[in-house]
Amino acid sequence: MNLRKFLLVRSGQIVVTFWIILTLLFVLFRLAPSDPLSVVADSLMSEEEIQILKAQFGLDEPLHRQYLLYLWNFIRGEFGISFHYRQPVVEILGDRLPKTALLFTTATILYALAGISLGKILAWYRGSLLDSGMSFLGLLTHTFFLPWLALLLVWVFGYKLGWFPLSGMISPEIWLDPESGFLAKFLDVLHHMALPMGVLFLTHFGGYMLVMRTTMLETLREDYILTARAKGLPEKVIRNRHAAPNASLPVVTSLGLSLAFSINGGALTETIFSWPGLGRELVASVAHGDYPLAQAAFLFIAAFVLVANLVVDVIYAYLDPRIRY
Amino acid sequence: MNFLKMGPVVLALFMAMGSVPSYGAMVKVGLMEEPKTLNVLGAKDIWASKVLLLSYQRLYYKDPSGRMLVPWLASDEPVWDPKTKTITFHLREGTWDDGTPFTSEDVVFTAELITKFRIPDYWNNWNFVQKVEALDPRTVRLHLTKPMATVWERTLTSVIIQKSRWKEIAQRAERLLEDNLRSQEAAGKSRSQAYVAALAKPLELLTSYPVTKPESMGPFVMQQWQRGAYIHMRRNDNFFALNKEIDGHKVGPHVEGVIFKIYANTDTAILALKKGDIDYLWWGIESGYLEDLRANPNIRIYSSLKSGYRYLGFNLRKAPMNDAAFRRAVAYLVDKDFIVQRILHTQGCRLDTVVPPTNPQYCLHNPPLYGNSMSWMERVEAAKKELKEAGYTWEVEPVAGEIAGQFKKKGGGLKLPGGLPVPPLNLLTPPADYDAQRAQTGNLIQQWLRDFGVPVNWRPMAFSALVKKVEAERDFDMFVSGWGALGHDPDYLRSFFHSRADVPEGKNACGYRNPEFDRIADLQVETMDQREREALVFKLQEILMKDLPYIPLYVPMNLEAVRADRFEGWVEMPGGIGNLWSFLQIRPKKR
């Protein structure tokens, strides 16, 4: 199969998968035991006012009509208006997504790069004190319960030592100060990112490091490494040019998917650090039965992951010349 | 490795940024969520209402005692004329934040917008207002279709919006309404059906109209809403009451502005308060934090009863809940004092009627106290007596122990008067992570009833699922729930218990039907004389406490914390210190 045909077949599969996800999302939200009006209707609202709200949200229509309207709106790129924000869903996603991407995508790249680099080194120095120590540390931090670690770091570095802000993305004191320039604001955002990034780094780098270490160890036993050594190539070249690229193939696949999933953020991290991202919004919209927002967010993530899968497949073929479609 | 070596450098840079400068006499307030919208017509969340409280003002406002209405945008007391069914009042001189004068046209515009588009949350308070007339720029007359006592506490305390700001969008909504109405009527719908159907789109237009800088007649004006981070409001120099005396209170504001900061979890918000990042956390704190906060000399705790309550509700459509004797027996078994002591840790009070004590004007003074001052053994005996007299029997009759909540012999096999066994009953509560007190109360009631021989299963569930089961599907036997800020007007009794409200989406989830209650409930709302109305509302409570569709349980305490070293002058009102008076009175603390 050539690449063009492969892309065509996979695109068809993606469309079908996406339609299934689209339908499943619609059904699952309606099956959920929550009432979308329970959050917006208050105790003093009359039955008539609630009926008006229902009509306004389109909840007075029969389910099959709601489904058809949902598909039609999707085809037209209309994701509707959030029940709670009274704002177009696209605007809400457009606001939250970059904030999530900034924190989680940056963190993912950092911990993956660190994990891969460290894993490579540990495999090279297998059995050394560095290997044992870092392997233990990687395992330990990988098993930390994220909320506990996050609160601990907030307490120590945010509250007790006062090195970092406790939460949020920016400080009003800096952003409201007319004398604050771009650099001050940029550094303020970085300052706020430090603790959540630290938590994400600590809980994730170990996984990459240990996987990379294992695959690297397997690669180092390959015949072509022996050949490279026999040719008298420097150790650094053997490690970095011959062993590491081959050993990193499974890690690259994992990284591609992690990057794709990084856009849905992490509800726990975002909640603890009051990071105004998509993860927190996703959980809240599901809990409150804000169908338009929750559906659009899930659809966006699903589309992103499906496309990322395709991209990873293609990249894989380029990285490994043995694979052809 | 170079990448790893950068870590310490970055860390050192951030450490250098450790503390940011403080920002003058700005009061920094912590919120647990961001307002969903600042469009006052579409805002339905409490976070928006907190922020908008400082911009949009009302004709009348509660005085700090919470008992009397003070003319606010109005300049005098409203005058009711029973013959013409009109209310007339005058307005203060004042300007909006953009400098345009506030006139009676703004009041007329607000009323017409609400009634024409039936704006949810507002319309209920205006739907009996036939016409609003601007007699002159400072005089307004409301023509009512019939006398409605809720006009004082609800209609006249509605927010007023600026005509010039909303005129254009209102015209667009009106055109949309007319077009929709024509097409709905052409589709064969009756006028009233067509009107409701035609409202959906114009309402969407009005309630989702993006507002980032709401107009203000209040003490503060929106400066900046940095989504997900903070909201900055500065002092409104055009505020009509600035440095004046209103109802004997010298009014500010005495601070430069307010910054609302968003915290998504309580632990971090409490740390922010302790650290001094915020001056006030506008959210009730759990009693578990009290000890830690009290140990901090810079923090002051305010406690006040909430203006709502928690209750045990019954589904009166099913046996045995449809039997008042059964409900009274349950009332004897539910030890409210025990709940207040053990679950609320005394941060609340027991409740014996359906109007909370934060509303002393309408709260029934001597309600029947089921089991109060009785020993546990006496309670159990009283409950048994109620059931036996109604014809219930047990396979194993319970025998109370001497310790509260204990039984020497647990009951079992309770049978209905006809001899059929009492079916397994479910008791719904919100989960502990939503409200631990309600969940634990449900668990405790389950235990008391089970030991008494009533087969009850406690089922905590997501709050929105509970609302759906109770209010939409009516699929429940008993539930522990609560009402939040009920306001001062007691007409909610009509919403909660009138047989007309026993319809899908109606608030009478219990299915309570009592013609005598309905008659008095309808009468009280049309009684404009306060003394007469009070007597009728007391009568309603007496009926309810005899029939017991709800067993009122307790009123939780609202615990709030402020930085005592930064600002002083917080005003305690029923419901807490988060009120307009506080923001008008607080001033930086002299050092």
Side-chain angles (χ1 to χ4, degrees):
Chain A
M1 198 190 291
N2 63 26
L3 186 61
R4 183 177 293 177
K5 196 171 174 190
F6 167 77
L7 284 176
L8 223 65
V9 172
R10 282 302 303 270
S11 302
Q13 286 172 346
I14 284 175
V15 170
V16 174
T17 312
F18 198 72
W19 173 74
I20 293 171
I21 293 171
L22 203 68
T23 306
L24 271 177
L25 278 176
F26 179 86
V27 174
L28 286 174
F29 277 115
R30 268 73 187 171
L31 285 179
S34 61
D35 181 5
L37 291 178
S38 64
V39 185
V40 288
D42 82 356
S43 54
L44 301 178
M45 213 180 253
S46 67
E47 298 91 80
E48 203 164 357
E49 283 177 300
I50 292 173
Q51 288 304 330
I52 290 171
L53 267 182
K54 265 189 154 183
Q56 194 188 342
F57 293 170
L59 296 170
D60 57 339
E61 298 278 0
L63 266 187
H64 69 278
R65 285 199 57 178
Q66 284 186 40
Y67 177 64
L68 291 175
L69 191 68
Y70 164 74
L71 287 183
W72 176 235
N73 283 341
F74 174 75
I75 291 166
R76 291 186 306 150
E78 282 271 339
F79 291 96
I81 287 180
S82 156
F83 290 169
H84 296 114
Y85 287 95
R86 313 301 308 133
Q87 192 185 349
V89 162
V90 176
E91 281 180 21
I92 300 170
L93 295 182
D95 176 69
R96 307 295 188 274
L97 194 63
K99 292 166 183 167
T100 288
L102 177 67
L103 177 62
F104 286 85
T105 311
T106 314
T108 306
I109 291 169
L110 282 181
Y111 64 64
L113 284 179
I116 291 169
S117 305
L118 284 167
K120 189 174 69 177
I121 294 162
L122 297 190
W124 199 254
Y125 297 107
R126 186 175 55 146
S128 67
L129 191 64
L130 177 74
D131 179 30
S132 317
M134 285 304 290
S135 296
F136 173 75
L137 186 72
L139 266 178
L140 184 74
T141 55
H142 193 59
T143 52
F144 275 153
F145 182 50
L146 190 142
W148 175 82
L149 180 67
L151 284 172
L152 186 74
L153 293 189
V154 167
W155 189 74
V156 174
F157 295 104
Y159 176 66
K160 279 285 172 190
L161 298 173
W163 291 355
F164 299 103
L166 295 171
S167 66
M169 191 175 164
I170 54 177
S171 305
E173 290 85 351
I174 288 176
W175 284 66
L176 288 174
D177 185 350
E179 288 177 13
S180 294
F182 173 78
L183 184 65
K185 289 178 180 175
F186 175 72
L187 285 174
D188 182 48
V189 173
L190 285 185
H191 196 201
H192 281 80
M193 282 173 71
L195 276 184
M197 287 240 299
V199 171
L200 291 170
F201 186 91
L202 282 175
T203 49
H204 288 83
F205 90 97
Y208 277 92
M209 185 180 76
L210 295 171
V211 170
M212 184 64 190
R213 178 183 174 277
T214 307
T215 53
M216 184 80 175
L217 282 175
E218 280 170 17
T219 309
L220 289 175
R221 284 195 287 269
E222 296 288 338
D223 289 346
Y224 62 85
I225 299 294
L226 194 64
T227 309
R229 283 212 167 97
K231 284 196 307 190
L233 290 174
E235 291 289 282
K236 206 171 174 181
V237 173
I238 295 170
R239 188 183 70 191
N240 294 344
R241 297 253 179 97
H242 291 254
N246 288 304
S248 62
L249 279 176
V251 188
V252 166
T253 315
S254 167
L255 174 62
L257 289 177
S258 292
L259 280 173
F261 276 111
S262 73
I263 61 147
N264 73 358
L268 285 173
T269 314
E270 289 185 357
T271 301
I272 291 166
F273 291 101
S274 307
W275 192 266
L278 193 61
R280 228 170 80 196
E281 211 54 73
L282 200 63
V283 173
S285 61
V286 171
H288 296 158
D290 192 347
Y291 298 158
L293 182 55
Q295 282 168 176
F298 276 116
L299 284 176
F300 184 78
I301 292 164
F304 205 77
V305 171
L306 287 173
V307 172
N309 252 317
L310 182 65
V311 172
V312 166
D313 281 350
V314 175
I315 291 174
Y316 210 93
Y318 275 104
L319 285 175
D320 188 347
R322 292 168 299 179
I323 295 171
R324 281 291 170 263
Y325 297 103
Chain B
M1 281 301 276
N2 286 342
F3 157 78
L4 294 172
K5 284 174 192 165
M6 283 168 62
V9 179
V10 175
L11 189 68
L13 184 66
F14 286 158
M15 282 166 62
M17 289 182 73
S19 61
V20 288
S22 64
Y23 204 72
M26 287 273 184
V27 60
K28 287 177 278 185
V29 178
L31 298 180
M32 300 306 297
E33 272 184 47
E34 191 169 34
K36 304 291 179 206
T37 171
L38 292 181
N39 175 333
V40 69
L41 302 179
K44 295 194 170 36
D45 59 297
I46 53 166
W47 312 105
S49 67
K50 289 172 195 293
V51 174
L52 295 175
L53 174 76
L54 306 184
S55 294
Y56 291 103
Q57 300 302 296
R58 295 135 206 276
L59 295 164
Y60 294 85
Y61 193 66
K62 284 277 169 205
D63 74 344
S65 76
R67 295 181 188 185
M68 301 288 291
L69 282 178
V70 177
W72 194 241
L73 291 177
S75 62
D76 54 5
E77 297 291 333
V79 178
W80 163 245
D81 180 352
K83 282 182 193 159
T84 55
K85 288 181 284 187
T86 57
I87 292 172
T88 310
F89 54 87
H90 297 90
L91 302 178
R92 286 181 200 277
E93 282 197 22
T95 57
W96 293 91
D97 61 294
D98 62 2
T100 55
F102 165 68
T103 69
S104 46
E105 286 300 324
D106 293 311
V107 181
V108 174
F109 175 80
T110 304
E112 286 179 352
L113 191 78
I114 289 169
T115 48
K116 176 167 278 178
F117 295 99
R118 300 187 182 179
I119 294 173
D121 262 355
Y122 295 99
W123 185 51
N124 207 24
N125 302 333
W126 287 86
N127 59 7
F128 49 85
V129 179
Q130 193 175 38
K131 191 173 75 170
V132 181
E133 219 179 335
L135 299 182
D136 63 51
R138 307 246 72 80
T139 312
V140 179
R141 180 166 290 164
L142 267 59
H143 296 258
L144 310 191
T145 52
K146 58 182 177 181
M148 280 296 272
T150 51
V151 73
W152 311 119
E153 298 279 350
R154 296 196 188 162
T155 316
L156 295 181
T157 57
S158 246
V159 295
I160 302 298
I161 60 175
Q162 187 183 15
K163 183 179 177 183
S164 57
R165 172 78 188 263
W166 288 86
K167 195 175 160 186
E168 196 190 320
I169 188 79
Q171 283 170 346
R172 275 169 55 199
E174 205 164 326
R175 284 196 293 273
L176 199 54
L177 176 64
E178 281 163 14
D179 291 347
N180 287 353
L181 196 55
R182 270 195 296 276
S183 57
Q184 291 291 340
E185 281 180 331
K189 286 188 179 166
S190 69
R191 176 84 189 170
S192 60
Q193 282 176 331
Y195 198 82
V196 171
L199 277 174
K201 287 291 168 192
L203 254 185
E204 189 169 296
L205 180 70
L206 286 170
T207 56
S208 60
Y209 175 60
V211 176
T212 49
K213 201 173 173 198
E215 70 272 28
S216 177
M217 270 295 287
F220 297 95
V221 184
M222 180 67 60
Q223 273 300 100
Q224 191 187 17
W225 181 9
Q226 190 67 251
R227 294 220 180 224
Y230 63 84
I231 290 169
H232 172 217
M233 299 180 87
R234 65 161 171 80
R235 184 169 51 203
N236 179 8
D237 294 328
N238 287 334
F239 177 45
F240 68 89
L242 187 66
N243 297 327
K244 289 184 184 154
E245 196 172 290
I246 301 230
D247 191 40
H249 302 277
K250 185 93 164 81
V251 167
H254 309 295
V255 292
E256 288 171 26
V258 182
I259 296 175
F260 292 99
K261 296 174 86 170
I262 320 297
Y263 292 88
N265 77 90
T266 318
D267 289 320
T268 320
I270 295 283
L271 281 181
L273 187 75
K274 286 168 66 181
K275 194 181 169 191
D277 284 359
I278 51 174
D279 304 309
Y280 165 46
L281 177 58
W282 202 343
W283 185 239
I285 51 177
E286 288 171 26
S287 52
Y289 291 107
L290 275 182
E291 199 180 331
D292 183 33
L293 289 173
R294 280 187 176 138
N296 189 326
N298 293 325
I299 288 177
R300 182 175 171 191
I301 306 287
Y302 288 90
S303 57
S304 56
L305 286 174
K306 288 187 177 175
S307 54
Y309 58 84
R310 308 290 179 255
Y311 62 90
L312 172 67
F314 296 97
N315 190 344
L316 272 58
R317 302 167 192 87
K318 293 180 175 179
M321 286 75 64
N322 58 0
D323 186 348
F326 175 80
R327 301 195 295 271
R328 283 196 294 272
V330 174
Y332 278 117
L333 290 173
V334 173
D335 189 341
K336 299 172 190 177
D337 294 321
F338 189 88
I339 292 172
V340 170
Q341 276 188 5
R342 299 295 175 88
I343 295 177
L344 272 69
H345 305 292
T346 69
Q347 299 298 326
C349 73
R350 64 173 286 156
L351 182 68
D352 296 293
T353 182
V354 282
V355 175
T358 44
N359 191 348
Q361 185 183 355
Y362 291 109
C363 177
L364 183 63
H365 304 309
N366 298 304
L369 302 170
Y370 295 94
N372 190 31
S373 73
M374 282 183 176
S375 69
W376 172 246
M377 291 171 93
E378 287 168 336
R379 280 172 176 276
V380 173
E381 286 310 311
K384 277 162 64 177
K385 187 165 171 266
E386 280 283 351
L387 291 189
K388 280 181 180 172
E389 283 176 4
Y392 290 78
T393 53
W394 282 265
E395 280 174 9
V396 181
E397 196 174 306
V399 179
E402 285 170 13
I403 302 167
Q406 302 289 312
F407 283 82
K408 272 182 197 159
K409 191 162 76 176
K410 290 180 182 176
L414 182 67
K415 289 183 179 164
L416 296 167
L420 287 171
V422 170
L425 307 174
N426 58 46
L427 169 58
L428 313 182
T429 71
D433 62 351
Y434 178 85
D435 184 344
Q437 293 173 344
R438 270 185 260 184
Q440 287 170 16
T441 301
N443 190 6
L444 201 57
I445 292 173
Q446 169 196 244
Q447 198 55 48
W448 286 331
L449 294 184
R450 269 192 186 175
D451 291 350
F452 187 68
V454 185
V456 174
N457 295 309
W458 167 51
R459 286 183 57 201
M461 57 172 63
F463 182 67
S464 55
L466 186 148
V467 173
K468 189 177 182 185
K469 284 254 179 214
V470 172
E471 291 193 359
E473 297 169 353
R474 310 292 200 219
D475 179 17
F476 68 98
D477 296 314
M478 293 183 260
F479 65 105
V480 175
S481 192
W483 294 113
L486 281 170
H488 186 259
D489 192 282
D491 192 44
Y492 49 78
L493 294 180
R494 198 166 55 107
S495 308
F496 299 165
F497 301 109
H498 198 291
S499 56
R500 265 202 310 272
D502 180 19
V503 290
E505 312 297 351
K507 288 281 179 283
N508 184 355
C510 295
Y512 177 66
R513 285 171 178 270
N514 180 338
E516 177 65 359
F517 177 91
D518 290 354
R519 188 185 66 77
I520 301 173
D522 287 335
L523 185 62
Q524 61 79 26
V525 76
E526 295 185 10
T527 304
M528 300 298 265
D529 182 273
Q530 280 209 0
R531 293 277 164 233
E532 279 179 43
R533 191 176 183 217
E534 275 171 28
L536 292 170
V537 173
F538 290 154
K539 182 70 186 160
L540 288 179
Q541 292 174 76
E542 282 165 11
I543 294 172
L544 288 171
M545 287 306 94
K546 185 169 148 278
D547 290 350
L548 286 177
Y550 280 4
I551 297 177
L553 295 172
Y554 58 86
V555 181
M557 204 70 101
N558 189 25
L559 301 168
E560 293 175 288
V562 298
R563 290 290 302 196
D565 56 336
R566 290 259 299 146
F567 294 93
E568 58 189 359
W570 298 94
V571 179
E572 291 180 82
M573 283 181 75
I577 57 168
N579 57 68
L580 186 64
W581 289 106
S582 278
F583 287 93
L584 294 171
Q585 302 280 320
I586 53 166
R587 56 180 75 235
K589 191 161 185 177
K590 288 178 189 144
R591 290 168 195 272

